[in-house]
Amino acid sequence: MDELTIELVLRLMQDDASGALGLIKGKARSGQMTDHELALTEWAQELRHCACTFEDYKMAKSLARAVFHDGVALAAATEEENRAFRDRMTALQLVGRNQSTPDQLLGQKRAAMAGLNGLMGDSNTVFQEDRVPRAESSKVAAARNLDSQTHLNCVACMEAKPYFDIFKAACSHYYCRSCIGRLVHDSFVDESIFPPKCCRVPFPLPTMKSLLDEEMVRKFEEKTVEYNDFNRTYCANPLCSRYLRPAPVALTIRTCASCNTPTCSTCKQRAHAGVCVEREVEILEMAKTEGWQRCTRCRNIVELKSGCNHITCRCGFEFCYTCAMKWKTCGCKVWDENRLLDRAHQVAARNEGNPQPAQQEVQMAVQELREQHNCKHDRWRRRDGETSCDVCHGQLPDFILRCQRCKIEVCVRCRYNRL
């Protein structure tokens, strides 16, 4: 909610409280206050407190922006004023009108400002006292200090943003307001990044609420219910396909609130009479022929082209590609030899920059892949050039991040928010 809307809501609520108090004023006995009047009085006081708090917030934000925009100029002006002060004190000392040295007087002046400097320097984020080395230009030092105090680097867009528009993840990475909003919005249509996370640690909704609008918060709560339903039913109308929440009682027919289409929650088709008929027989037969596997949690079909048999479905379930059982609960091999060689060939080709690497390089890559199967992806290096992400398969025109252990190459989004 923007500031103008908040201000309008507070003013309307205060008007309502004043009007309600005016209607009941004088109806009780002299010197007595009814419960209704007491509640309205407390409500009015609370609204006044909220209004004062909101005004303080606007003033603090205005000051922060003023320091951000004018801080360098103020620092330079202060340095210029100090230089003029020293010159004046030197002139006074030369004519015998003042026995203190310029540095002593300047120290007294700074001491007089200590209260203000202390007030502005207590924050952990901004407004710390400048300590400028004598060999450095005051303007350069002021700009450097101001930038480091009021700006933080967003790990997603890699830009320095004002501290009051920054979200700090549990892993200590920073996200700006626009990037956190984009990540949350993308997670609504890409289950593999829901809930939004960084370094595998999810972002709790309460910590993000101040950076999201009410509509996004509402949709986040709806998606939490949807993505935690492992037997989901969607509207059978292909032009709607809205998620249908589970009914309070075990009903096989659910009616869409948007288009009023009745859907069978058993076979996921339009409501029908009699026994459900499996309409995905052809797809399942093709999956069996091609060697594809089906997630036992969300029932989505998964195809593995290269890599190990450890599959992480977009719903978050980890299973074995060979038998579809939960990962580490079966005795299947970790690698299929053909897929292992295919993956090793990809890695060796990247290392050598040659689409046809030597057989020795391929065998070395096979050994490394076997050893780094349980890689935690904690050592990354940037590789410049146009390439594609191994996870989301997005095309990257400038650079990609490569894990130094397992050699996987991923985009920034996958490195922080998906792996």
Side-chain angles (χ1 to χ4, degrees), residues 98-315:
N98 198 312
Q99 298 302 316
S100 301
T101 65
D103 286 339
Q104 288 174 337
L105 291 171
L106 186 59
Q108 294 170 10
K109 178 185 175 184
R110 286 177 174 170
M113 295 292 291
L116 179 60
N117 289 339
L119 179 62
M120 298 175 67
D122 287 340
S123 171
N124 292 328
T125 310
V126 294
F127 307 142
Q128 295 180 357
E129 182 183 0
D130 291 336
R131 299 182 181 278
V132 185
R134 293 187 180 276
E136 185 177 32
S137 166
S138 59
K139 291 185 179 180
V140 173
R144 174 177 53 78
N145 289 336
L146 181 68
D147 185 69
S148 65
Q149 292 161 7
T150 62
H151 283 66
L152 296 168
N153 290 324
C154 172
V155 74
C157 64
M158 302 180 188
E159 295 181 1
K161 297 296 180 69
Y163 74 96
F164 49 78
D165 274 342
I166 286 291
F167 168 79
K168 184 178 181 181
C171 57
S172 297
H173 287 131
Y174 295 109
Y175 289 82
C176 67
R177 181 185 296 271
S178 59
C179 287
I180 200 71
R182 189 180 305 112
L183 177 60
V184 172
H185 179 271
D186 291 348
S187 72
F188 296 157
V189 294
D190 186 353
E191 187 179 353
S192 66
I193 56 175
F194 189 92
K197 63 184 80 68
C198 185
C199 299
R200 303 182 183 181
V201 182
F203 301 156
L205 178 58
T207 64
M208 298 187 293
K209 275 190 173 180
S210 62
L211 300 175
L212 306 177
D213 57 39
E214 291 184 356
E215 177 63 20
M216 293 192 74
V217 171
R218 181 189 62 78
K219 198 163 186 179
F220 188 99
E221 293 170 344
E222 290 179 352
K223 285 295 181 180
T224 300
V225 175
E226 177 182 346
Y227 289 155
N228 283 288
D229 180 1
F230 301 127
N231 186 27
R232 301 170 203 164
T233 301
Y234 294 91
C235 179
N237 180 0
L239 298 178
C240 178
S241 300
R242 180 176 179 176
Y243 169 67
L244 305 180
R245 284 173 173 260
V249 293
L251 298 177
T252 57
I253 304 299
R254 300 181 193 172
T255 302
C256 179
S258 296
C259 65
N260 293 321
T261 300
T263 302
C264 176
S265 61
T266 303
C267 65
K268 316 302 181 186
Q269 306 296 326
R270 285 182 181 269
H272 55 83
V275 181
C276 296
V277 178
E278 180 61 66
R279 299 186 182 182
E280 298 180 350
V281 175
E282 294 182 2
I283 297 176
L284 294 176
E285 286 295 330
M286 182 172 65
K288 185 177 180 179
T289 303
E290 296 292 335
W292 302 338
Q293 195 53 269
R294 196 174 192 182
C295 175
T296 55
R297 175 188 283 180
C298 68
R299 311 305 294 165
N300 281 311
I301 295 176
V302 179
E303 178 187 10
L304 177 63
K305 291 184 177 180
S306 67
C308 66
N309 290 322
H310 179 194
I311 300 296
T312 301
C313 182
R314 65 184 182 185
C315 71

